[in-house]
Amino acid sequence: MQYHHTIGKKTYRFSDLKTLLAKASPHRSGDVLAGLCAESYEERVAAQITLADVPLKIFLNEAIVPYEEDEITRLIIDSHDNLAFSIISSLTVGELRDWLLRDETDTLILKNLSPGITPEMAAAVSKLMRNQDLIAVAKKCEVITSFRDTIGLKGHFSTRLQPNHPTDDPKGIVASIIDGLLYGSGDAVIGINPATDSPAEVNNLLLLLDTLRQQFDIPTQSCVLCHITTTLELIRKGAPVDLCFQSIGGTEQSNASFGINLALLDEAYQATLSLKRGTIGNNVMYFETGQGSELSANAHQGVDQQTCEARAYAVARKYKPLLVNTVVGFIGPEYLYDGKQIIRAALEDHFCGKLLGLPMGVDVCYTNHAEADQDDMDNLLTLLGVAGCNFIMGIPGSDDIMLNYQSTSFHDALYIRKVLGLRPTPEFEQWLIRQGISDKHGKPTTQPDSRLLKEMRALWIK
Amino acid sequence: MDKIEPRQSPMDDPLNVLKEFTAARIAIGRTGASIPLKQSLAFKLAHAHARDAVYSELDIDGITANLQQFELPVLHLHSQAAYREQYLQRPDLGRQLNEESIGQLTDRTTSGVDIAIMIADGLSAAAVNSNAVGLLKILIPQLQTAGLKLAPICLIKQGRVAIADDAGIYLNARLSIILIGERPGLSSADSMGAYLTFGPRPGLTDESRNCISNIRPHGLTFRPAAKKIFYLVQEAFKRKLSGVALKDNAGLLSEP
């Protein structure tokens, strides 16, 4: 279907929905690199005005990646809940934006709507929204998940403790974990990016994390972020796998470049569920995404990077994940050039994910060749705290010495909890109090006198 | 004024004893919820070094003068990325030579050579400015002693790794080695990588290359780096390939 809009004497034509979505996207380097972005400020707004008038029903009939060619499109269409959709089925994209912002559109209505929203609808409406709108609507969403603690409750803010080490040295990793726990970090997960994907090494790390967790009875879950095939192999060998991790993309081709497909994800999901290691809940998957990964794999199929990202959330929600993390600034300046683009992308991802019913966290991060610094990350962190983001990363001093990028520090999480009055998960907070890491009001103590600290020497594992 | 909290000073941090196990920024103390100023400035300085490295410029004159000792012609080339901001946003342009550079190479088309050595700024010109010549002083004599014929050395501005494919084909080289500045980390703004490609030609991807990373005085030093590169060169010529297939069988590469 062709779309067009006239401004003054100029008529802008958009050959299909995919093109319209791309041209309506706020400017970012990845869409320029892909040759998809609007060619002028005016064309971008013309596309947004055009997009505002597109009925949502069109999205169910015009696939932006052909149904026959892409299993994610098939997943999106085949799993679409028409009943949930009915409340917005008569609206256009622009009307949806206004409807989402209405006071009457509350947490429960948004929760019930989520299976009726497709990723493309979420992406489309986000393109018409200012940062403020993205925050206001996301804040109304509440996506709660659980395994050994309860993540995503309003008023709570969690962290993934990320104790990476360049050679996976167990002592180095444990040193960072202890540091992080004493700052109240790790209630979303203690998750290591391993330096190698070798099953034996990954197994050692899993055992290390599990021993530590059990020794101190920490109400959290652990994860080693290896390839899903490695996790599957280790599950079969009886390794203590709490969460199954995988990076995912929004096209079948991009997932092929990650060495995965839906059948493999199904298999890994079932295998991890069967371990029944969760004590209070059974959300067992941990997914990571990030705008630009489809383009980077040359698998974007002419779709802008933000819409591709939203499509990845269709993959994620099939598996009721505990955590979905958009690693927003890791990919580099050829996709998100500066602090402004990183912040915008993070707010879009958080909004789209939440609207689609996902427990969204954000890796608030940047690389040294991006035009960004700690001030940009402080801005983003604060915005996400206000928006009700489920979790961020916790890394010693913001400096990941294995992945060579900068993310949020343990201190950053304390800051956001303090200024916005947010707390760790209820179960984890009780543990922090029992450990003497927090006082009885949940405030971090100045000199933790915890068992963890006293017994840390007993932790050294061969 | 409030009393200063005991944990403000990292010296008092009870986790100081753990620092020997990791270079991560643990046990840095806190003031309120925040990172103490001294630690905050240390981080800022590391980031400043990395940022300066990204915007550093290839020292064409200095490197060219130092390369004279090898008695090889030196060519000055440029990618299609005209300036740094464009380079950062358009990796595709950094992978291709500009017209003037192609002209220079086609003007001097020669019979084939064994190896084309190139030096490109990549994401840290500072890295190659300080490390490229030092490595070549060891490597080039080894290659020459082995009877390998070398192309003119190319200095390439605003270049990415794959520009070696473009240049390699114009130089009619059987194998390319490109020394290039790696993305600066907070602890290392001067890290140089060496990428080796057998049969360079446009369209190759990273799996066709072998990479020796972290070449710098405080990382992989010149002598072992040259040894690894020389080993890979010999193996690549012997087996007529480079990349994943070569690396898998190179026991020497697993040595520290």
Side-chain angles (χ1 to χ4, degrees):
Chain A
M1 186 169 157
Q2 248 237 12
Y3 303 88
H4 59 86
H5 184 75
T6 303
I7 295 175
K9 286 179 185 167
K10 182 140 175 94
T11 297
Y12 290 96
R13 294 182 191 286
F14 310 100
S15 57
D16 51 22
L17 190 55
K18 169 169 81 173
T19 306
L20 182 62
L21 287 168
K23 300 276 188 186
S25 291
H27 174 80
R28 67 205 60 199
S29 50
D31 290 338
V32 179
L33 180 63
L36 298 172
C37 69
E39 277 163 31
S40 66
Y41 287 92
E42 188 177 81
E43 188 186 24
R44 179 168 298 111
V45 181
Q48 290 169 351
I49 293 169
T50 312
L51 181 59
D53 288 337
V54 175
L56 292 174
K57 279 181 177 156
I58 295 280
F59 287 79
L60 299 176
N61 299 318
E62 190 178 342
I64 58 162
V65 181
Y67 183 91
E68 300 72 24
E69 292 170 20
D70 189 285
E71 64 173 1
I72 297 173
T73 303
R74 292 197 289 278
L75 171 67
I76 292 167
I77 299 298
D78 297 349
S79 65
H80 182 253
D81 183 336
N82 248 317
L83 189 63
F85 178 62
S86 61
I87 189 168
I88 57 166
S89 62
S90 66
L91 304 183
T92 62
V93 178
E95 288 164 350
L96 175 62
R97 181 264 182 195
D98 290 349
W99 182 85
L100 288 171
L101 286 161
R102 284 172 50 173
D103 289 336
E104 295 78 7
T105 306
D106 60 14
T107 303
L108 183 62
I109 289 176
L110 289 171
K111 183 180 187 318
N112 292 336
L113 169 68
S114 69
I117 289 251
T118 68
E120 289 86 352
M121 291 176 198
V125 74
S126 79
K127 294 173 196 298
L128 306 182
M129 296 167 81
R130 284 169 47 191
N131 286 3
Q132 180 187 113
D133 306 343
L134 298 172
I135 293 168
V137 177
K139 190 179 177 61
K140 293 198 278 188
C141 300
E142 186 181 38
V143 182
I144 302 164
T145 57
S146 59
F147 190 81
R148 290 194 190 97
D149 58 349
T150 313
I151 302 163
L153 293 164
K154 284 195 180 184
H156 296 259
F157 187 85
S158 300
T159 55
R160 164 190 164 192
L161 204 173
Q162 184 170 314
N164 295 341
H165 187 277
T167 60
D168 292 339
D169 178 67
K171 291 183 183 182
I173 286 172
V174 170
S176 289
I177 294 177
I178 294 171
D179 198 46
L181 288 171
L182 291 175
Y183 283 101
S185 183
D187 52 339
V189 62
I190 302 175
I192 304 170
N193 296 92
T196 149
D197 214 77
S198 108
E201 285 293 317
V202 172
N203 192 42
N204 286 340
L205 295 176
L206 284 168
L207 289 170
L208 179 153
L209 289 173
D210 202 49
T211 307
L212 178 74
R213 179 187 63 76
Q214 293 202 40
Q215 187 171 352
F216 292 97
D217 197 19
I218 313 172
T220 189
Q221 33 286 329
S222 62
C223 187
V224 177
L225 285 71
C226 58
H227 194 264
I228 198 164
T229 50
T230 307
T231 302
L232 251 177
E233 184 184 334
L234 289 170
I235 288 174
R236 291 193 189 110
K237 288 181 178 160
V241 173
D242 285 348
L243 304 181
C244 176
F245 166 82
Q246 183 55 45
S247 292
I248 53 172
T251 64
E252 183 176 329
Q253 277 184 23
S254 66
N255 282 331
S257 81
F258 289 134
I260 59 161
N261 53 40
L262 295 177
L264 183 61
L265 288 168
D266 287 340
E267 186 186 350
Y269 176 53
Q270 292 304 332
T272 314
L273 270 183
S274 74
L275 299 177
K276 296 191 168 62
R277 291 174 59 87
T279 49
I280 62 165
N282 224 355
N283 300 110
V284 297
M285 300 301 280
Y286 173 11
F287 293 116
E288 286 192 350
T289 64
Q291 289 191 26
S293 60
E294 295 81 6
L295 174 58
S296 135
N298 201 18
H300 63 289
Q301 302 190 266
V303 179
D304 70 89
Q305 68 183 34
Q306 191 256 331
T307 305
C308 282
E309 169 75 7
R311 283 170 54 92
Y313 303 154
V315 177
R317 72 174 168 179
K318 180 167 197 271
Y319 304 101
K320 303 179 176 60
L322 184 78
L323 307 163
V324 178
N325 176 24
T326 170
V327 190
V328 70
F330 186 72
I331 192 158
E334 60 267 47
Y335 304 92
L336 295 168
Y337 183 61
D338 55 15
K340 183 180 171 77
Q341 292 182 16
I342 292 171
I343 288 169
R344 172 78 199 178
L347 294 175
E348 289 166 348
D349 294 353
H350 178 253
F351 161 80
C352 288
K354 282 282 173 76
L355 195 61
L356 292 164
L358 289 174
M360 289 305 292
V362 179
D363 192 342
V364 175
C365 64
Y366 63 105
T367 57
N368 286 324
H369 60 321
E371 294 291 317
D373 60 20
Q374 292 299 102
D375 290 336
D376 296 302
M377 298 305 111
D378 289 343
N379 292 348
L380 177 53
L381 169 63
T382 308
L383 296 173
L384 287 168
V386 173
C389 179
N390 284 26
F391 68 101
I392 56 166
M393 307 308 109
I395 292 172
S398 287
D399 177 7
D400 189 309
I401 56 170
M402 203 285 274
L403 294 172
N404 277 316
Y405 77 122
Q406 285 88 251
S407 181
T408 39
S409 64
F410 301 140
H411 299 70
D412 288 333
L414 291 186
Y415 148 79
I416 200 73
R417 282 173 181 164
K418 186 154 94 174
V419 296
L420 295 177
L422 303 170
R423 318 176 75 114
T425 65
E427 300 85 353
F428 196 80
E429 184 170 52
Q430 287 307 309
W431 180 81
L432 291 173
I433 293 169
R434 286 200 300 277
Q435 282 286 324
I437 296 170
S438 297
D439 66 21
K440 61 179 191 236
H441 307 293
K443 186 173 173 279
T445 51
T446 47
Q447 195 104 53
D449 182 30
S450 80
R451 194 160 71 84
L452 186 70
L453 204 54
K454 286 178 193 147
E455 295 179 17
M456 68 185 176
R457 291 199 178 276
L459 284 170
W460 301 140
I461 298 154
K462 261 197 293 192
Chain B
M1 199 182 131
D2 288 346
K3 244 176 79 175
I4 292 173
E5 293 177 28
R7 285 193 74 193
Q8 177 168 18
S9 163
M11 297 302 292
D12 296 337
D13 198 304
L15 295 188
N16 262 326
V17 292
L18 298 182
K19 278 188 166 169
E20 65 173 292
F21 301 119
T22 178
R25 291 169 197 258
I26 60 165
I28 60 178
R30 63 182 169 91
T31 174
S34 305
I35 293 176
L37 182 65
K38 197 174 169 189
Q39 302 288 336
S40 181
L41 288 174
F43 179 97
K44 247 185 173 171
L45 183 61
H47 187 238
H49 289 152
R51 296 297 293 154
D52 284 340
V54 169
Y55 283 93
S56 59
E57 288 196 30
L58 199 59
D59 177 15
I60 295 277
D61 294 343
I63 296 178
T64 304
N66 274 316
L67 290 176
Q68 297 310 315
Q69 59 188 299
F70 304 119
E71 297 178 348
L72 288 164
V74 177
L75 303 178
H76 298 160
L77 309 177
H78 203 293
S79 81
Q80 289 180 15
Y83 50 95
R84 188 91 301 211
E85 287 77 6
Q86 189 179 43
Y87 173 88
L88 290 171
Q89 294 180 73
R90 292 290 304 272
D92 51 328
L93 299 180
R95 296 184 193 117
Q96 300 165 62
L97 291 168
N98 69 10
E99 269 186 45
E100 198 193 325
S101 301
I102 293 171
Q104 268 194 72
L105 293 177
T106 46
D107 283 352
R108 51 171 308 127
T109 300
T110 53
S111 56
V113 295
D114 293 311
I115 298 176
I117 294 174
M118 305 162 207
I119 300 169
D121 41 13
L123 284 167
S124 169
V128 289
N129 288 345
S130 36
N131 298 317
V133 173
L135 175 76
L136 291 179
K137 269 187 190 171
I138 301 168
L139 181 63
I140 287 183
Q142 282 183 319
L143 297 173
Q144 287 173 329
T145 307
L148 294 163
K149 189 177 170 193
L150 303 184
I153 299 177
C154 298
L155 297 186
I156 311 176
K157 277 188 150 181
Q158 309 289 5
R160 301 239 173 206
V161 170
I163 205 164
D165 298 337
D166 219 12
I169 206 141
Y170 288 112
L171 290 162
N172 204 0
R174 292 170 64 205
L175 183 145
S176 68
I177 299 171
I178 183 166
L179 307 179
I180 190 163
E182 297 183 321
R183 195 180 87 194
L186 282 192
S187 54
S188 58
D190 63 339
S191 188
M192 182 175 80
Y195 288 80
L196 178 148
T197 311
F198 184 83
R201 62 196 177 278
L204 293 179
T205 56
D206 286 345
E207 64 192 27
S208 308
R209 314 179 201 290
N210 294 91
C211 173
I212 307 289
S213 185
N214 197 27
I215 303 171
R216 60 192 176 103
H218 297 289
L220 181 65
T221 53
F222 298 149
R223 200 160 291 282
K227 190 178 167 191
K228 285 187 178 188
I229 295 169
F230 185 63
Y231 171 83
L232 282 171
V233 167
Q234 289 174 307
E235 287 295 302
F237 280 128
K238 201 187 296 174
R239 303 179 52 198
K240 300 196 175 2
L241 55 83
S242 61
V244 180
L246 182 56
K247 194 175 182 180
D248 284 347
N249 294 292
L252 188 137
L253 291 179
S254 59
E255 285 180 14

